[in-house]
């Protein structure tokens, strides 16, 4: 037997409880990736066999219809539901505010005719072919959302084939490093009409890495163009890499110490991908054979289960309550057992500060998107509210999804939005409960007793003298109440009948379902199905 702990700690290899480690569990039906920082789960992704992730994919679509009132068009990309293309997403891309725009020397900006949303129906009439990229996957009853502003992400740069803009991520805050990257942008041989963006991970990288990255992206783009020109409409011409390749591309940076994987073939594949870019990066990818599942071995599984509970405990003794609804995410904060500080204001501030950091983590882990409302514990001092607001802003900086945070209102609420690209992980791994139909609640036994008795009275009045005995079929929990607490009430009801009331339980029947049956004809006089 291989002693995994010894394997990890005894031979100078990675220690998942120190530094930053990515753990990959690769199985036939599912692949999972977890990012650990000093042993704490910070990011978590799942990919399953047969379930396509179309976000980032590029399609040759066809405009099916245009809705001027919505300022949008619907595009057939080969899926059951047409993709939604807003006129804004069909306009030439404006550089994101999170990027610093660079003017490339020797390449003056072309003065093009300004295109407005009014021009879009003429540029893309119904029936025309169009190249689109999925920015948001199908969620619930909504189809995917697409854009005509195509981009291809590499390891260090993003290639934009249809815009000549150049930019650097503002998350790189070192002035000297920004100046160095500007100089690299000027040297790179980017084809006319195309632009690039320096990603955050570009920091500290050598010029040759950017040359190699750009060459790979241009080769990918030539393949996209060729497929678009030769394939029929409503087909995919480029698909984002799978979880394994994305992990090797996006996460294996200088900040990541090791990637460990429990599958040898997957490990070799990642080593091959990383080896094209850096031999040093390749050495940081290790195969870790385990007798029990690798997530169990390294303590990841327990953290996943804890993170996805409705109630999330905080180190200070307080806790969060997270509820996902159709329209928004509601998060409530409670002090719980955090009563240690004699100064109540300090106790509240401590709980709220921990909550802000944990909420940012939970949003990433659960892949929660849309409108989020946080009910912080009331703080009397404005400086405390601003401290919590700044902590939240800082904690959200590491989030790859775009976020926008508003300051805390006078009643202690913080409103924020987080970019929603795919369904949340809770929706991805769970089905709605077939018993409660996703409500999370069912009617109490007493409620059902009241409703059934009310309906019995109405049925007795309606079928008086026409029906003798009546059989009442109920859930076994409801029958138990009938036999005990409500026995006298049912005796009184029976006196109003021309026959007997016969109660039968069905253990398979839903608690909220019941039937009142005429035993002579075996027909239901009244029935509620669930």
């Amino acid at each position: 037997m291989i002693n995994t702990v010894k394997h990890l700690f005894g031979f100078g290899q990675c220690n998942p409880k120190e530094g930053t480690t990515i753990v990959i569990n690769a199985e036939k039906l599912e692949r999972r990736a977890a990012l650990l920082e000093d042993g704490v789960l910070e990011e978590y992704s799942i990919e399953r066999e047969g379930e396509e992730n179309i976000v980032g994919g590029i399609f040759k679509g066809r405009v099916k219809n245009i809705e001027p009132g919505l300022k949008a068009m619907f595009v057939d990309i080969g899926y059951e539901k047409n993709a939604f293309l807003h006129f804004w997403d069909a306009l030439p891309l404006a550089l994101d505010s999170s990027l610093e725009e660079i003017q490339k020397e020797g390449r003056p900006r072309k003065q093009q005719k300004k295109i407005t949303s009014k021009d879009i129906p003429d540029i893309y009439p119904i029936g025309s072919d169009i190249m689109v990229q999925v920015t948001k996957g199908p969620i619930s009853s909504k189809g995917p959302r697409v854009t005509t502003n195509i981009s291809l992400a590499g390891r260090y740069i993003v290639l934009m084939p249809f815009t000549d803009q150049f930019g650097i991520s503002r998350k790189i805050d070192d002035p000297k490093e920004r100046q160095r990257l500007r100089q690299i942008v000027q040297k790179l041989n980017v084809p006319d009409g195309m632009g690039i963006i320096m990603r955050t991970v570009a920091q500290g990288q050598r010029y040759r890495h950017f040359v190699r990255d750009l060459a790979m992206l241009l080769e990918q783009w030539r393949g996209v163009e060729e497929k678009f020109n030769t394939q029929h409409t409503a087909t995919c011409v480029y698909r984002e890499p799978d979880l394994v390749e994305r992990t090797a591309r996006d996460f294996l940076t200088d900040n990541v110490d090791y990637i460990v994987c429990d599958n040898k073939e997957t490990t070799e594949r990642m080593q091959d991908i990383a080896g094209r870019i850096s031999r040093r990066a390749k050495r940081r990818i290790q195969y870790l054979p385990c007798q029990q599942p690798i997530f169990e071995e390294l303590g990841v599984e327990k953290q996943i289960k804890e993170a996805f509970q409705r109630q999330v405990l905080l180190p200070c003794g307080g806790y969060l309550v997270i509820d996902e609804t159709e329209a928004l995410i509601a998060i409530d904060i409670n002090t719980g057992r955090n009563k240690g500080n004699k100064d109540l204001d300090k106790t509240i501030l401590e709980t709220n500060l921990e909550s802000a950091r944990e909420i940012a983590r939970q949003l990433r882990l659960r892949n929660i998107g849309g409108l989020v409302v946080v009910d912080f514990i009331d703080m009397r001092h404005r400086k405390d509210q601003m401290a919590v607001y700044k902590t939240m802003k800082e904690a959200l900086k590491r989030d790859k999804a775009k976020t926008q945070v508003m300051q805390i209102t006078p009643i202690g609420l913080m409103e924020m939005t987080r970019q929603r690209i795919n369904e949340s992980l809770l929706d991805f791994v769970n089905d709605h409960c077939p018993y409660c139909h996703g409500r999370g609640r069912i009617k109490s036994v007493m409620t059902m007793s009241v409703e059934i008795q009310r309906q019995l009275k109405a049925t007795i009045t309606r079928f008086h003298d026409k029906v003798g005995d009546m059989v009442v079929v109920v859930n076994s929990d409801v029958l138990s109440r009938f036999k005990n607490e409500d026995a006298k009430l049912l005796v009184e009801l029976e006196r109003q009948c021309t026959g007997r009331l016969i109660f039968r339980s069905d253990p398979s029947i839903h608690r909220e379902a019941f039937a009142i049956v005429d035993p002579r004809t075996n027909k239901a006089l009244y029935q509620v199905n669930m």
Side-chain angles (χ1 to χ4, degrees):
M1 171 183 173
I2 294 176
N3 188 324
T4 306
V5 176
K6 184 178 179 182
H7 181 72
L8 281 170
F9 307 119
F11 301 120
Q13 295 193 7
C14 72
N15 182 346
K17 292 187 178 180
E18 295 178 4
T20 304
T21 306
I22 295 174
V23 184
I24 293 183
N25 168 223
E27 299 169 338
K28 290 187 181 295
L29 291 179
E30 183 177 80
R31 290 158 294 282
R32 300 185 294 170
L35 175 67
L36 305 181
E37 291 186 0
D38 297 328
V40 178
L41 179 65
E42 291 292 342
E43 296 189 31
Y44 177 61
S45 302
I46 304 177
E47 184 177 80
R48 287 179 174 167
E49 197 68 30
E51 294 185 355
E52 291 181 298
N53 175 26
I54 64 172
V55 175
I58 301 174
F59 291 80
K60 181 177 183 178
R62 175 163 291 171
V63 178
K64 297 299 288 185
N65 59 306
I66 298 174
E67 299 290 344
L70 295 174
K71 289 191 174 180
M73 61 182 74
F74 291 89
V75 181
D76 178 14
I77 61 172
Y79 285 82
E80 182 181 353
K81 291 183 178 176
N82 290 332
F84 179 85
L85 175 62
H86 199 284
F87 288 175
W88 294 336
D89 295 320
L91 293 172
L93 181 69
L95 202 65
D96 195 296
S97 60
S98 64
L99 304 167
E100 176 202 358
E101 187 171 4
I102 299 171
Q103 182 61 47
K104 191 168 172 64
E105 294 175 5
R107 185 184 294 185
R109 180 68 56 82
K110 293 179 181 178
Q111 297 296 320
Q112 296 178 336
K113 180 187 174 184
K114 187 176 180 181
I115 299 173
T116 67
S117 59
K118 294 179 181 178
D119 302 318
I120 299 302
D122 296 326
I123 297 172
Y124 303 112
I126 293 175
S128 61
D129 288 343
I130 181 172
M131 182 186 290
V132 293
Q133 187 169 29
V134 178
T135 57
K136 188 175 179 181
I139 298 172
S140 187
S141 59
K142 297 178 181 177
R145 184 161 181 165
V146 296
T147 179
T148 61
N149 293 299
I150 310 299
S151 64
L152 290 174
R155 185 172 173 79
Y156 304 116
I157 62 176
V158 175
L159 176 69
M160 300 180 294
F162 295 145
T163 176
D164 58 357
Q165 292 179 320
F166 295 81
I168 298 177
S169 170
R170 293 189 188 276
K171 289 183 180 180
I172 302 173
D173 49 15
D174 183 354
K176 290 184 179 179
E177 177 62 16
R178 297 188 68 83
Q179 181 58 34
R180 187 184 74 89
L181 292 175
R182 289 190 198 102
Q183 293 172 356
I184 289 176
V185 168
Q186 301 300 337
K187 292 179 183 178
L188 288 173
N189 187 21
V190 182
D192 286 344
M194 295 188 184
I196 60 169
I197 294 171
M198 290 284 192
R199 303 179 69 179
T200 308
V201 293
Q203 189 165 295
Q205 300 303 321
R206 297 180 181 179
Y207 173 70
R208 59 186 173 85
H209 292 153
F210 297 104
V211 172
R212 191 182 304 159
D213 212 17
L214 178 60
M216 291 172 64
L217 289 174
L218 289 173
E219 186 180 346
Q220 280 184 5
W221 174 243
R222 284 191 287 271
V224 170
E225 285 188 307
E226 184 179 348
K227 287 183 179 179
F228 185 85
N229 293 327
T230 57
Q231 291 188 4
H232 56 79
T233 306
T235 55
C236 181
V237 295
Y238 170 80
R239 194 174 299 281
E240 267 284 283
D242 62 12
L243 179 66
V244 171
E245 190 170 338
R246 288 200 311 273
T247 301
R249 181 191 73 187
D250 297 339
F251 286 100
L252 193 54
T253 64
D254 288 340
N255 297 326
V256 175
D257 298 304
Y258 288 95
I259 292 181
V260 293
C261 178
D262 60 356
N263 182 279
K264 194 168 186 178
E265 290 181 3
T266 302
T267 305
E268 291 173 351
R269 182 179 163 213
M270 282 193 295
Q271 288 174 338
D272 180 57
I273 295 167
R276 299 173 202 165
I277 303 166
S278 165
R279 290 181 183 178
R280 183 170 171 268
K282 180 179 179 179
R283 289 195 297 269
R284 285 184 283 159
I285 301 172
Q286 298 182 3
Y287 169 54
L288 181 63
C290 300
Q291 192 163 31
Q292 63 175 332
I294 190 170
F295 274 31
E296 292 279 0
E297 188 79 43
L298 302 182
V300 180
E301 202 70 61
K302 181 183 177 184
Q303 292 191 62
I304 293 171
K305 289 176 182 176
E306 289 173 351
F308 286 88
Q309 298 295 321
R310 179 173 179 261
Q311 188 178 96
V312 180
L313 299 178
L314 300 170
C316 67
Y319 63 91
L320 313 176
V321 178
I322 303 176
D323 287 308
E324 290 189 40
T325 71
E326 186 73 22
L328 57 82
I329 312 301
I331 303 177
D332 185 39
I333 292 134
N334 297 278
T335 52
R337 300 190 310 275
N338 189 12
K339 313 291 184 187
N341 203 316
K342 293 181 181 179
D343 187 332
L344 180 60
D345 288 341
K346 286 185 178 179
T347 301
I348 290 172
L349 178 60
E350 177 189 31
T351 306
N352 282 339
L353 289 173
E354 273 195 19
S355 298
R357 289 186 286 268
E358 182 61 26
I359 287 167
R361 173 176 173 260
Q362 289 291 329
L363 293 178
R364 295 194 308 272
L365 283 180
R366 300 174 186 233
N367 193 29
I368 292 174
L371 178 63
V372 181
V373 178
V374 184
D375 183 11
F376 283 104
I377 304 167
D378 289 340
M379 293 170 284
R380 292 187 298 172
H381 306 297
R382 185 62 183 166
K383 66 175 183 178
D384 291 348
Q385 293 180 2
M386 289 304 297
V388 173
Y389 170 71
K390 289 177 181 177
T391 299
M392 178 69 86
K393 291 272 286 184
E394 186 65 29
L396 288 169
K397 281 184 178 179
R398 63 177 301 165
D399 200 331
K400 292 182 177 66
K402 294 179 183 178
T403 57
Q404 184 176 9
V405 187
M406 310 299 289
Q407 292 188 19
I408 297 173
T409 67
I411 60 174
L413 297 180
M414 176 184 282
E415 299 172 4
M416 61 176 293
T417 59
R418 183 175 186 270
Q419 184 183 17
R420 193 176 186 182
I421 298 174
N422 275 318
E423 59 185 350
S424 71
L425 276 176
L426 284 179
D427 286 334
F428 182 79
V429 302
N430 297 322
D431 286 330
H432 281 302
C433 172
Y435 200 83
C436 71
H437 301 292
R439 292 177 296 171
R441 294 175 179 269
I442 58 172
K443 291 179 181 178
S444 68
V445 173
M446 183 174 182
T447 299
M448 288 311 303
S449 176
V450 171
E451 290 187 4
I452 292 169
Q453 288 182 62
R454 184 182 297 130
Q455 193 55 52
L456 274 170
K457 289 177 184 177
T459 305
I460 290 168
T461 303
R462 181 182 174 191
F463 293 100
H464 189 65
D465 294 333
K466 295 179 183 177
V467 178
D469 296 347
M470 286 191 287
V471 176
V472 186
V473 183
V474 296
N475 177 276
S476 52
D477 293 340
V478 179
L479 183 62
S480 178
R481 178 173 179 101
F482 282 162
K483 287 181 176 179
N484 298 293
E485 293 96 324
D486 299 337
K488 291 182 180 179
L489 296 174
L490 295 175
V491 170
E492 291 179 16
L493 264 177
E494 192 171 39
R495 287 174 184 160
Q496 301 173 29
C497 296
T498 55
R500 296 175 302 156
L501 287 178
I502 304 165
F503 290 89
R504 293 178 184 167
S505 72
D506 182 350
S508 65
I509 197 173
H510 194 285
R511 182 189 285 183
E512 296 180 14
F514 66 93
I516 303 171
V517 181
D518 182 349
R520 296 175 301 176
T521 61
N522 206 32
K523 289 185 177 180
L525 304 174
Y526 186 85
Q527 189 169 354
V528 173
N529 295 316
M530 291 298 295

